[in-house]
Amino acid sequence: MLCLRIPGAVLVATRALPGVGKAIARRRALVKRLRHACLGDPGDGCEVLAKLYEEGRDVDKSLAEAVRFYRAAGASLDIDRLRGPLSSECEQGMAAACVEVGILAEESHGTKSDLDSAVPFYERAGQAHAANGCLRLGELASRGVSSAGGVQRAPALYRQACDGGDQSACLRLGAALLDAT
């Protein structure tokens, strides 16, 4: 470390702070291990990972990712606390947040009106090329939710999701095409 004395101040010039790069690499590796543990065995590490995403520690802050990992952990969600911030993230163009708001609307009571209120969020996610938004919208359409476009629209939505890489949508598309014949 090189310290330069200037009257009234001390400037510190350094190429890199010793150990900082290693600490960052260790933290990123920890997040990667938590993610792997959570996805391999939901519950293990999921709640810790959710908290990191919610607070933006060692990862980019994302309420949508936090909600996803809280769900995987089986943690109860404070829907009223999360809906507003997630809606804001959705309005800012974060497709994953749009999907999560739609899921919250679906899960809140499961009534027909809740399903209808999920549709605009899935539409927005689909417009942002989020395959799971198209899949969810297709599922609502196949259940006859008219605001989702009805049963006739489901195969087209499944195709969009399948083209976007969602394998379960490909299976649903195949089943829908078989049912149509």
Side-chain angles (χ1 to χ4, degrees), residues 46-67:
C46 291
E47 197 155 352
V48 172
L49 195 54
K51 195 73 168 163
L52 292 177
Y53 274 103
E54 184 176 5
E55 295 173 358
R57 293 188 331 209
D58 302 320
V59 294
D60 290 335
K61 186 174 182 172
S62 170
L63 215 48
E65 287 296 299
V67 168

Side-chain angles (χ1 to χ4, degrees), residues 22-100:
K22 289 179 184 177
I24 291 171
R26 280 193 305 269
R27 293 176 90 121
R28 285 186 179 153
L30 173 63
V31 169
K32 187 176 179 179
R33 283 193 296 269
L34 282 170
R35 180 182 289 275
H36 182 72
C38 175
L39 297 176
D41 183 14
D44 290 350
C46 291
E47 197 155 352
V48 172
L49 195 54
K51 195 73 168 163
L52 292 177
Y53 274 103
E54 184 176 5
E55 295 173 358
R57 293 188 331 209
D58 302 320
V59 294
D60 290 335
K61 186 174 182 172
S62 170
L63 215 48
E65 287 296 299
V67 168
R68 186 177 89 144
F69 289 116
Y70 279 130
R71 266 199 195 96
S76 60
L77 298 173
D78 183 351
I79 292 172
D80 294 329
R81 180 179 69 87
L82 295 172
R83 191 181 312 259
L86 274 172
S87 293
S88 295
E89 285 184 4
C90 176
E91 288 170 13
Q92 294 169 13
M94 297 175 71
C98 296
V99 172
E100 291 301 334

Side-chain angles (χ1 to χ4, degrees), residues 84-126:
L86 274 172
S87 293
S88 295
E89 285 184 4
C90 176
E91 288 170 13
Q92 294 169 13
M94 297 175 71
C98 296
V99 172
E100 291 301 334
V101 175
I103 292 170
L104 289 175
E106 273 192 79
E107 292 177 347
S108 60
H109 296 100
T111 66
K112 182 89 166 141
S113 63
D114 293 328
L115 297 179
D116 285 330
S117 68
V119 169
F121 295 104
Y122 294 148
E123 290 274 4
R124 188 173 290 160

Side-chain angles (χ1 to χ4, degrees), residues 95-96 99 121-139 154 156-170 172:
V99 172
F121 295 104
Y122 294 148
E123 290 274 4
R124 188 173 290 160
Q127 290 166 357
H129 306 290
N132 58 346
C134 294
L135 171 65
R136 291 256 184 202
L137 193 56
E139 290 170 343
L157 292 165
Y158 290 148
R159 183 177 309 279
Q160 271 185 278
C162 179
D163 290 347
D166 191 308
Q167 296 303 309
S168 62
C170 297
R172 289 197 172 101

